């Protein structure tokens, strides 16, 4: 997706607690090399919000814009964009493939689920185009005509091949009209989140290093297709 202001990319591999990789010092040094940074600094005791409002204290290794986090349920690799930083999703997917496969190789067992997310803002649409897009996507009643904020979300499912087997892939896109500031400048635009994940309905530990590599290597193709679809959906965007 061609964002005016990219926000972040996230790659996540879910593990049962008994299979959770330890991520030792040697692995961290290798990952730093994979990411092209001198070192990843350890941050112990970072609090994060999990599902259902649960707060967990987790270890994290950082070298901005890269963040590697081990939560009680997953290993996360995140890239947070700085202003005017247009590091591409395809480049991120290559790094995620290498890093998360390395982590999987160091683990005690197989993963149960995987996900990839990208988020960004599109701010190049004029007010008339924004209003037309909202009217087309959500078709509001007369009492809510010309909304200045709205949410639109669609989810579908497709079949992919991983490790020689068939997997259900959830594909989710969220569009929101939002207003705010970027570097003290006011904006009125569209927040876009795209999410591709293996089905949570199957909790079997089934993804080895090979499956992790295949998933994230293919993710750049899925997100390229999603980007084209969202651009067509938005028309002038």
């Amino acid at each position: 997706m061609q964002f005016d202001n990219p926000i972040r990319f996230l790659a996540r591999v879910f593990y049962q607690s008994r299979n959770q990789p330890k991520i030792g010092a040697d692995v961290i040094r290798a990952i730093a090399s994979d990411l092209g940074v001198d070192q990843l600094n350890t941050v112990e005791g970072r609090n994060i919000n999990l599902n259902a409002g649960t707060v967990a204290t987790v270890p994290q290794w950082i070298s901005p814009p890269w963040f590697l986090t081990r939560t009680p349920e997953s290993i996360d690799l995140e890239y947070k964009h700085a202003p005017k930083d247009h590091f591409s999703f395809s480049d991120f997917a290559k790094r995620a493939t290498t890093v998360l496969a390395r982590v999987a190789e160091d683990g005690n067992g197989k993963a149960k689920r995987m996900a990839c997310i990208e988020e960004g803002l599109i701010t190049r649409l004029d007010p008339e185009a924004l209003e037309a897009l909202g009217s087309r996507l959500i078709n509001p009643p007369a009492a809510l005509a010309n909304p200045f904020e709205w949410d639109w979300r669609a989810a579908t499912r497709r079949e992919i091949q991983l490790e020689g087997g068939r997997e259900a892939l959830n594909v989710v896109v969220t569009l929101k009209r939002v207003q705010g500031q970027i570097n003290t400048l006011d904006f009125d635009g569209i927040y876009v989140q795209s999410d591709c994940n293996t089905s949570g309905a199957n909790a079997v530990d089934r993804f080895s290093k090979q499956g992790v590599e295949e998933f994230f290597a293919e993710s750049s193709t899925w997100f390229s297709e999603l980007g084209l679809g969202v651009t067509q959906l938005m028309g002038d965007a």
Side-chain angles (χ1 to χ4, degrees):
M1 184 76 203
Q2 186 61 48
F3 295 113
D4 297 314
N5 295 90
I7 297 174
R8 69 164 187 159
F9 301 137
L10 173 67
R12 174 171 288 162
V13 182
F14 294 86
Y15 291 89
Q16 302 281 4
S17 59
R18 64 179 179 273
N19 296 338
Q20 186 76 285
K22 300 302 183 185
I23 313 185
D26 290 345
V27 174
I28 291 299
R29 283 192 291 270
I31 290 174
S33 178
D34 295 335
L35 297 177
V37 300
D38 292 335
Q39 65 179 13
L40 289 167
N41 298 310
T42 303
V43 179
E44 296 288 353
R46 176 176 178 267
N47 292 329
I48 63 167
N49 293 317
L50 299 176
N51 295 330
T54 304
V55 177
T57 301
V58 301
Q60 188 177 56
W61 299 268
I62 67 174
S63 179
W66 292 103
F67 297 79
L68 180 68
T69 307
R70 187 180 70 214
T71 81
E73 59 184 16
S74 67
I75 303 296
D76 300 350
L77 180 66
E78 186 176 15
Y79 184 96
K80 296 182 179 180
H81 289 80
K84 298 183 179 180
D85 170 12
H86 287 272
F87 184 74
S88 71
F89 184 85
S90 61
D91 287 335
F92 171 77
K94 292 175 185 175
R95 305 288 180 89
T97 300
T98 302
V99 169
L100 294 174
R102 184 184 296 281
V103 172
E105 190 174 39
D106 190 55
N108 299 317
K110 295 183 177 181
K112 64 177 182 177
R113 195 180 183 197
M114 295 177 286
C116 231
I117 295 172
E118 70 169 354
E119 300 176 54
L121 294 171
I122 294 176
T123 58
R124 58 183 176 268
L125 299 183
D126 60 37
E128 291 77 14
L130 287 168
E131 290 179 6
L133 178 63
S135 296
R136 179 159 53 85
L137 291 183
I138 65 174
N139 190 24
L144 292 172
N146 302 320
F148 63 87
E149 290 185 357
W150 47 261
D151 292 5
W152 179 91
R153 182 178 183 271
T156 188
R157 185 170 291 125
R158 59 194 286 186
E159 189 176 274
I160 60 173
Q161 292 282 331
L162 291 177
E163 300 193 48
R166 292 181 291 184
E167 285 288 337
L169 181 73
N170 297 323
V171 180
V172 186
V173 173
T174 301
L175 304 182
K176 297 181 181 181
R177 183 176 179 180
V178 293
Q179 298 176 336
Q181 284 192 334
I182 299 175
N183 298 330
T184 73
L185 297 177
D186 293 336
F187 77 89
D188 185 4
I190 305 298
Y191 163 84
V192 181
Q193 182 190 79
S194 299
D195 179 354
C196 292
N197 61 82
T198 58
S199 175
N202 185 350
V204 175
D205 305 328
R206 61 198 184 281
F207 299 121
S208 68
K209 174 188 175 183
Q210 177 186 340
V212 172
E213 287 178 322
E214 291 174 353
F215 180 88
F216 292 105
E218 286 295 317
S219 65
S220 59
T221 299
W222 307 330
F223 279 85
S224 177
E225 294 171 354
L226 275 177
L228 290 173
V230 170
T231 298
Q232 292 171 356
L233 182 68
M234 295 181 62
D236 292 339

